[in-house]
């Protein structure tokens, strides 16, 4: 009996496996893989599902400068082979971990892979056809690299019709990648250099639920969110927006627009999103002249952050609102009508937290009927 087959039998017995699990073409490859894995440190990667923690730490350590790695030797594109630069855990055969290895290129992705992690490297480009073999991909992590828009193939994601989550935050992108697969559910593009989102940049993404575009240089969104019929969260904070995005989706629940330059909001802007719960617009340039009397009178909103703007009066809010942050404005009066149009035993505000510190209101300016209107408030800062 050949020595390789003998050793496979011994190893299979030790691992509690039978030789029948391996065919003749794969036994030598399995042996080589097993011996190679025995020389590297162990790992405990766990597949990430929605009810579990991420399989990788969501942190962004800085990649250290090293000498450029030599280009990998050409490998035969076989469905079982794992690139020598990466780890493919036997107990999670659909995942490939190539993160935090100072890579400057994308290794070959075997066709069986569903979860691929390239984050925390020095990758600068994605060549056309890089993922054409990996059509089963569902998760693709490319964050914290140096990928530029001009160094990406025009249709690198074109064949990934099952891709659900794409992480490209912390790169050098100057525009949105695309076209993107319709299957996408989460798109992470924060901390890039994107300045504009064209109207058709997100076209066709009916399954997208979360869009992260914070910490870019976006000055215009137009109506690019309008067709995202499943969108729940839109994070556009820390940009250069002068106007709010047009046509919010009806499905939206969380809208983050803090740290922009917005000075006005159209009438009934939030009424088209009846599920909206959280609105954060702190550190903008909002004035009372740029708001209508019912801009924030939406029965669904539970938390509203308007701190550090240029408001001189408390805007009218719905009685269902629970948390209102107005600190750091120029408000000089406490108008109870902003919270309760009628004050009696049956009509009162559900407000629990009210922040008015850092304004021009005096403590003795609180009207006597405030305790009746704000009977549920546990925190009122003036």
């Amino acid at each position: 009996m050949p020595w390789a087959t003998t050793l496979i039998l011994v190893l299979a017995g030790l691992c509690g496996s039978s030789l029948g699990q391996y065919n003749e073409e794969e036994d030598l490859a399995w042996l080589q893989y097993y011996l190679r894995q025995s020389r590297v440190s162990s790992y405990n990667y766990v597949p990430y599902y929605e009810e579990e923690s991420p399989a990788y730490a969501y942190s962004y350590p800085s990649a250290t400068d090293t000498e450029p790695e030599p280009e990998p030797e050409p490998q035969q594109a076989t469905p079982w082979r794992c690139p020598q630069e990466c780890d493919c855990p036997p107990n999670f055969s659909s995942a490939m971990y190539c993160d935090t290895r100072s890579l400057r290129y994308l290794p070959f992705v075997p066709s069986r892979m569903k979860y691929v992690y390239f984050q925390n490297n020095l990758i600068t480009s994605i060549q056309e056809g890089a993922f054409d073999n990996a059509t089963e991909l569902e998760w693709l992590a490319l964050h914290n690299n140096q990928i530029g828009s001009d160094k990406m193939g025009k249709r690198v994601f074109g064949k990934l019709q099952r891709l659900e989550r794409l992480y490209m935050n912390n790169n050098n992108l100057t525009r949105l990648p695309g076209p993107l697969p319709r299957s996408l559910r989460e798109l992470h593009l924060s901390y890039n250099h994107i300045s504009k989102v064209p109207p058709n940049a997100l076209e066709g993404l009916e399954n997208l639920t979360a869009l992260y575009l914070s910490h870019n240089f976006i000055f215009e969104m137009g109506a690019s969110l309008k067709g995202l019929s499943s969108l729940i969260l839109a994070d556009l904070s820390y940009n250069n927006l002068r106007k709010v995005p047009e046509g919010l989706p009806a499905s939206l629940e969380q809208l983050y627009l803090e740290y922009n330059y917005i000075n006005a909001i159209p009438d009934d802007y939030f009424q088209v999103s009846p599920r909206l719960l959280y609105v954060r617009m702190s550190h903008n340039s909002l004035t009372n002249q740029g708001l209508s009397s019912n801009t924030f009178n939406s029965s669904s909103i539970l938390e509203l952050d308007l701190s550090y703007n240029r408001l001189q009066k408390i805007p009218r809010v719905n009685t269902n609102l629970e948390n209102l942050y107005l600190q750091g404005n120029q408000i000089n009066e406490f108008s109870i009508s902003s919270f309760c149009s009628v004050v009696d035993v049956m009509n009162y505000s559900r407000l629990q937290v009210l922040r008015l510190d850092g304004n021009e209101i005096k403590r003795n300016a609180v009207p006597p009927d405030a305790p009746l209107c704000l009977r549920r408030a546990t925190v009122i800062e003036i």
Side-chain angles (χ1 to χ4, degrees):
M1 181 181 296
W3 71 269
T5 306
T6 303
L7 184 54
I8 289 171
L9 284 171
V10 173
L11 292 174
L14 291 174
C15 297
S17 304
S18 65
L19 186 61
Q21 290 177 286
Y22 310 97
N23 58 42
E24 295 180 356
E25 296 179 355
E26 293 181 336
D27 56 4
L28 184 57
W30 177 85
L31 172 61
Q32 292 172 343
Y33 176 81
Y34 184 90
L35 293 176
R36 180 165 65 88
Q37 289 300 106
S38 67
R39 293 197 298 267
V40 299
S41 58
S42 60
Y43 41 75
N44 58 352
Y45 291 112
V46 179
Y48 172 56
Y49 301 99
E50 293 191 18
E51 65 272 13
E52 298 178 355
S53 299
Y56 57 89
Y58 212 110
S59 61
Y60 307 108
S62 300
T64 56
D65 291 330
T66 58
E67 290 296 322
E69 294 188 9
E71 290 296 322
E73 296 182 3
Q75 300 186 35
Q76 185 181 358
T78 53
W80 49 263
R81 186 185 293 274
C82 183
Q84 61 183 1
E85 305 89 348
C86 309
D87 286 327
C88 305
N91 62 338
F92 189 27
S93 60
S94 60
M96 186 171 81
Y97 296 88
C98 312
D99 53 301
T100 319
R101 295 159 199 247
S102 298
L103 296 179
R104 297 177 182 270
Y105 55 86
L106 284 174
F108 167 75
V109 182
S111 59
R112 72 173 186 272
M113 294 304 169
K114 294 183 179 180
Y115 311 92
V116 178
Y117 303 99
F118 291 115
Q119 72 269 23
N120 305 329
N121 281 297
L122 302 172
I123 300 168
T124 59
S125 62
I126 305 177
Q127 65 274 22
E128 195 72 71
F131 306 113
D132 284 3
N133 183 64
T135 56
E136 301 295 314
L137 274 182
E138 296 179 11
W139 287 54
L140 180 54
L142 290 161
H143 52 282
N144 201 32
N145 277 285
Q146 300 173 14
I147 301 169
S149 294
D150 295 334
K151 294 185 178 181
M152 287 182 59
K154 293 182 179 180
R155 298 191 61 84
V156 292
F157 307 118
K159 295 187 177 181
L160 303 182
Q161 298 306 310
R162 297 188 180 184
L163 189 66
E164 293 185 357
R165 290 169 174 84
L166 176 60
Y167 297 84
M168 293 196 72
N169 33 307
N170 285 83
N171 275 285
N172 296 327
L173 299 177
T174 54
R175 58 180 180 271
L176 267 67
L180 296 167
R182 293 176 178 267
S183 57
L184 206 61
R185 294 179 58 190
E186 290 185 13
L187 180 57
H188 298 255
L189 295 172
S190 299
Y191 292 94
N192 276 285
H193 306 289
I194 301 168
S195 59
K196 187 177 180 180
V197 180
N200 61 345
L202 301 169
E203 188 175 1
L205 301 183
E206 292 90 355
N207 294 307
L208 193 69
T209 61
L211 175 62
Y212 298 90
L213 281 169
S214 69
H215 294 87
N216 277 282
F217 301 97
I218 301 171
F219 64 89
E220 184 179 351
M221 286 291 296
S224 55
L225 303 181
K226 190 173 184 179
L228 305 179
S229 56
S230 300
L231 193 67
I232 294 175
L233 183 152
D235 187 355
L236 305 172
S237 59
Y238 292 88
N239 276 288
N240 294 329
L241 292 174
R242 264 68 178 174
K243 298 180 180 179
V244 290
E246 300 173 14
L248 296 181
S251 58
L252 197 65
E253 296 181 7
Q254 303 175 50
L255 178 62
Y256 304 138
L257 289 166
E258 61 264 38
Y259 287 93
N260 278 286
Y261 299 93
I262 300 168
N263 57 21
I265 302 176
D267 294 348
D268 301 323
Y269 178 70
F270 299 109
Q271 304 302 322
V272 297
S273 301
R275 300 178 183 178
L276 194 59
L277 299 173
Y278 307 101
V279 177
R280 296 178 184 172
M281 298 191 68
S282 67
H283 296 272
N284 275 279
S285 302
L286 291 174
T287 65
N288 290 96
Q289 290 73 29
L291 306 176
S292 72
S293 59
N294 286 311
T295 298
F296 300 110
N297 191 13
S298 171
S299 61
S300 65
I301 299 177
L302 298 180
E303 179 177 295
L304 177 60
D305 188 353
L306 300 174
S307 59
Y308 301 99
N309 277 279
R310 300 176 183 175
L311 299 174
Q312 294 179 319
K313 296 181 179 180
I314 300 174
R316 184 181 179 186
V317 295
N318 194 272
T319 55
N320 289 330
L321 188 69
E322 295 181 357
N323 300 288
L324 177 59
Y325 303 97
L326 290 167
Q327 68 269 25
N329 277 279
Q330 302 168 10
I331 299 171
N332 53 27
E333 64 178 43
F334 193 116
S335 52
I336 201 66
S337 60
S338 297
F339 308 101
C340 301
S341 56
V342 177
V343 182
D344 57 31
V345 176
M346 300 301 295
N347 295 281
Y348 56 91
S349 171
R350 275 73 175 172
L351 203 65
Q352 299 176 17
V353 176
L354 173 60
R355 292 282 305 274
L356 284 166
D357 45 310
N359 281 280
E360 300 175 11
I361 300 178
K362 306 298 182 182
R363 288 183 175 272
N364 58 8
V366 179
D369 51 353
L372 187 59
C373 169
L374 303 175
R375 67 185 70 175
R376 288 196 175 183
T378 57
V379 175
I380 298 180
E381 292 284 346
I382 299 178

